[in-house]
Amino acid sequence: MKNTVITVQNAKESKEKVTMLTAYDYSMAKLIDEAGINMILVGDSLGMVMLGYEDTLSVTMEDMLHHTKAVARGAKDALVVADMPFMSYQTSVYDAVCNAGRLIKEGRAQAVKLEGGREFADHIRAITDASIPVVAHLGLTPQSLNAFGGFKVQGKSVETARRLVEDAQIVQDAGAFAVVLECVPAKVAELITEKLRIPTIGIGAGPACDGQVLVYQDMLSMFGDFKPKFVKRYGEIGMMMKDAFRKYKEEVESGAFPAPEHTFKIEDDVIEKLY
Ligand code: KIV
């Protein structure tokens, strides 16, 4: 069944957890979709995990469109959400609506996600008024890395936790249909989840959220040396891939691959005429 903004909203009401994973290309989107995950996020994390940047700040609209198109082709039932990259919406409400529109019209996403709270309420309202569903993103918002002074848990003091709760209500009132809570204390996420009508999707925000999201490279251990506290590793896929690559190298070097079963044949009398 196709996941939509309505099914995601219904999940909150019926207390079913919403699942979301990132994907950045066709083949991974297809696997995630076939596994029954509700939502696929084409995250601007692609700057780090696919393009090798040290943060998400250099990701462009063209990068997002390129990857969103591929994911949309692979996702049949999952709701595809595309991230609005740094400076694609911060500059004006007009830019926000135009760029959100491009992610839907050219990228074929079904929703967009943007980082920030009250300061982007007008942007969220204008995008939703253009019939584009918006996922808000609060807490550790990686596009504000320089303002935060690093990747840090947010909302640990009374003032910052209160601001988070208020921001969550503001983005809901502005029209967001869900909100990602990244790296906030579990009890703050629980309070926000209780107060909101829309689902909260947590990453490093504890078990009370209405749903969870992870970057697939993290949950598959594709970067062996990188393990944030909030990530659970569901498979040692990075190691399995490296073992397979090493085995392939050994077999090519030894001549064990390709074997006769991997080889196309030709009749002897045809080949003889070529000599
Ligand atoms: O870009 C991304 O992958 C994200 C998730 C971490 C929520 O925004």
Side-chain angles (χ1 to χ4, degrees):
M1 190 186 68
K2 179 70 192 166
N3 289 273
T4 66
V5 291
I6 307 294
T7 58
V8 170
Q9 180 60 47
N10 288 346
K12 171 142 187 152
E13 280 150 32
S14 57
K15 298 196 184 329
E16 286 162 65
K17 294 281 185 184
V18 177
T19 52
M20 186 187 224
L21 283 173
T22 63
Y24 315 97
D25 65 20
Y26 171 79
S27 52
M28 194 55 71
K30 197 163 180 309
L31 288 173
I32 290 173
D33 187 86
E34 286 168 5
I37 298 295
N38 302 119
M39 299 166 87
I40 295 182
L41 173 65
V42 191
D44 62 352
S45 50
L46 71 83
M48 299 166 83
V49 296
M50 301 301 285
L51 305 178
Y53 297 137
E54 66 181 37
D55 54 45
T56 59
L57 301 179
S58 302
V59 175
T60 64
M61 272 300 295
E62 301 316 314
D63 293 332
M64 290 308 307
L65 284 166
H66 180 71
H67 288 270
T68 302
K69 286 177 192 176
V71 168
R73 289 190 286 265
K76 196 164 62 67
D77 292 333
L79 175 70
V80 177
V81 181
D83 252 342
M84 300 200 66
F86 184 52
M87 286 299 131
S88 68
Y89 62 96
Q90 287 90 342
T91 43
S92 69
V93 170
Y94 177 81
D95 286 349
V97 176
C98 291
N99 285 320
R102 289 191 70 195
L103 291 166
I104 305 294
K105 192 169 179 165
E106 298 171 46
R108 305 296 301 174
Q110 285 115 32
V112 299
K113 174 168 82 58
L114 59 85
E115 297 181 7
R118 66 196 70 197
E119 59 284 23
F120 296 111
D122 289 343
H123 304 58
I124 294 171
R125 195 169 293 109
I127 298 170
T128 46
D129 281 351
S131 302
I132 299 171
V134 176
V135 178
H137 183 159
L138 299 172
L140 198 176
T141 45
Q143 293 177 19
S144 305
L145 167 74
N146 291 321
F148 289 154
F151 292 113
K152 294 179 185 150
V153 176
Q154 301 294 308
K156 291 183 81 170
S157 68
V158 178
E159 295 76 37
T160 57
R162 183 172 292 136
R163 193 175 164 89
L164 265 181
V165 176
E166 288 170 3
D167 273 343
Q169 284 169 320
I170 290 169
V171 296
Q172 169 180 272
D173 294 345
F177 78 95
V179 56
V180 167
L181 300 175
E182 178 165 356
C183 291
V184 305
K187 293 219 157 127
V188 175
E190 185 173 353
L191 178 63
I192 294 173
T193 302
E194 278 167 21
K195 282 181 176 280
L196 293 192
R197 295 184 309 277
I198 59 172
T200 56
I201 316 281
I203 174 162
C209 293
D210 298 303
Q212 298 291 327
V213 56
L214 284 175
V215 171
Y216 83 77
Q217 284 89 344
D218 293 344
M219 56 96 75
L220 296 182
S221 324
M222 290 179 72
F223 301 118
D225 47 349
F226 180 70
K227 189 191 174 305
K229 178 180 166 68
F230 56 81
V231 170
K232 178 168 175 181
R233 294 181 155 183
Y234 285 86
E236 292 296 330
I237 306 301
M239 209 145 67
M240 285 173 70
M241 287 170 82
K242 252 192 272 182
D243 284 347
F245 298 148
R246 282 197 197 104
K247 186 138 209 278
Y248 165 74
K249 176 178 157 66
E250 273 166 31
E251 291 198 355
V252 169
E253 287 173 352
S254 72
F257 177 82
E261 66 269 27
H262 309 120
T263 306
F264 299 105
K265 295 192 172 46
I266 189 172
E267 295 302 328
D268 287 348
D269 61 326
V270 176
I271 197 72
E272 274 159 20
K273 292 200 175 77
L274 300 178
Y275 280 94

